Amino acid sequence: MSTLIDIIASAGLWAAVLRIATPLIFGTLGALLCERAGVLNLGIEGIMTFGAMIGWLSVYHGADLWTGLLVAAIAGGIFGLLHSALTVTLGLSQHVSGLGVTLFASSFSYYVFRLIVPVAGTPPTITPFQPIAIPGLSTLPFIGPALFTQTAPTYLAIVLALILAYIIFRTPVGLAIRMTGETPHAAEAQGVNPMKVRYGAVIVGSALMGMGGAFLTLSAFNSFFPTMVQGRGWICIALVVFSSWRPGRALFGALLFAFFDAFQLRLQTAVQGIPYQIFLMTPYILSIVALAVMSRHARVPQALMQPYRRGER
């Protein structure tokens, strides 16, 4: 018991929680925005992989870190445009299109990486984002090193969660997005173009996904390898349901999963005699339990996964 308390009371644990949660926050916000407009985007895993690759590749070839993050966002938006064309304009299955985007983006990432970067025993590296100590806050006992010595993209992810919550629930744009995800024909009757809203939401949401992938190579690590996303995209899809399609709850869900993950990493070194696979599966088991409990009362956007055709009901 004392070991568990020592781990939880460690500032390093909570600092790791924020780092692990950051790509999940970006990805979950992106998926949430898409689904609020009525479009399921299962391409998130591939989009995050491509964002990780293209963001790193940009910096590797001389761009600064913020430009690399921007390039990843643009690349994600392009994949979002592709997904929108297939699902919004052509009305194809959102499941099939999303899985197709994931397979294409993941494979294309590896192809481009190997085409441009020569094969080497040690992967090439870049200088990633460095932690920023916020003056006056980073020196606070426990809280300072835990919360206020993160890299810039982590602070950006938290701010974006607050901004998205405000936009969705406090602005006319957010109202248009919610109406399109619930009753697009009613939205059209109010002068809203559901097609444009869905296009915009999917493109911006996919851009956020690309930024989540870029965080892995530009901040969490300093190199790229094809399997580095490791299922985070699918976790983000689950976190959207966990959050009941609310950005504030999405932020909490990402932090909760990150806590489970950071906690099990420390348990592996603190507790001996237990197979490490037990610790690895712990955050996923706990997340499934949390998802099952929270999703019982989740209200799904009524028009989610339903193609929209003007004049049809």
Side-chain angles (χ1 to χ4, degrees):
M1 180 62 70
S2 61
T3 301
L4 298 180
I5 294 175
D6 290 341
I7 293 175
I8 294 175
S10 168
L13 170 70
W14 298 101
V17 166
L18 282 177
R19 288 195 302 271
I20 295 172
T22 300
L24 299 177
I25 295 171
F26 278 116
T28 303
L29 293 178
L32 185 151
L33 183 58
C34 294
E35 294 185 26
R36 270 290 183 179
V39 179
L40 177 67
N41 190 349
L42 295 181
I44 179 171
E45 184 82 2
I47 292 172
M48 290 182 73
T49 301
F50 192 84
M53 186 278 299
I54 200 67
W56 177 89
L57 196 61
S58 300
V59 176
Y60 179 68
H61 282 281
D64 62 75
L65 292 167
W66 286 107
T67 301
L69 199 63
L70 177 61
V71 169
I74 293 173
I78 291 173
F79 280 109
L81 179 63
L82 172 62
H83 186 56
S84 298
L86 295 173
T87 59
V88 178
T89 301
L90 300 179
L92 302 181
S93 168
Q94 295 178 10
H95 292 94
V96 175
S97 174
L99 292 174
V101 169
T102 282
L103 293 173
F104 171 67
S106 300
S107 302
F108 191 53
S109 299
Y110 185 67
Y111 171 75
V112 172
F113 178 71
R114 281 304 176 207
L115 187 67
I116 298 177
V117 179
V119 178
T122 302
T125 60
I126 62 169
T127 301
F129 282 101
Q130 299 301 307
I132 298 175
I134 298 181
L137 296 176
S138 60
T139 56
L140 293 174
F142 183 79
I143 296 177
L147 304 181
F148 300 112
T149 56
Q150 301 290 329
T151 59
T154 296
Y155 299 127
L156 176 62
I158 295 173
V159 170
L160 285 176
L162 301 178
I163 292 175
L164 187 60
Y166 178 81
I167 290 175
I168 288 179
F169 295 108
R170 293 289 186 272
T171 67
V173 173
L175 178 60
I177 292 172
R178 286 185 286 125
M179 287 181 66
T180 300
E182 295 288 345
T183 53
H185 293 284
E188 183 183 19
Q190 296 298 317
V192 174
N193 188 326
M195 303 282 281
K196 291 183 178 179
V197 171
R198 287 189 170 183
Y199 261 89
V202 174
I203 291 172
V204 174
S206 299
L208 292 174
M209 297 172 189
M211 293 171 66
F215 173 84
L216 297 174
T217 50
L218 302 184
S219 184
F221 305 103
N222 60 1
S223 187
F224 171 78
F225 51 94
T227 59
M228 70 186 315
V229 175
Q230 293 183 327
R232 288 179 175 86
W234 308 116
I235 294 296
C236 292
I237 295 295
L239 287 175
V240 172
V241 181
F242 173 85
S243 69
S244 299
W245 290 268
R246 292 178 175 271
R249 293 183 184 178
L251 175 61
F252 171 73
L255 292 171
L256 182 63
F257 179 86
F259 169 77
F260 293 152
D261 199 9
F263 190 63
Q264 66 87 13
L265 288 172
R266 282 153 179 77
L267 279 179
Q268 288 186 45
T269 58
V271 180
Q272 305 297 322
I274 300 178
Y276 75 93
Q277 291 88 349
I278 299 295
F279 297 109
L280 288 176
M281 69 182 184
T282 299
Y284 296 95
I285 293 175
L286 295 176
S287 297
I288 290 172
V289 172
L291 179 63
V293 172
M294 295 295 293
S295 63
R296 294 181 63 184
H297 305 289
R299 185 179 180 277
V300 182
Q302 295 300 299
L304 181 63
M305 296 183 290
Q306 295 181 8
Y308 168 76
R309 290 289 181 271
R310 180 172 295 182
E312 297 180 4
R313 291 184 180 272

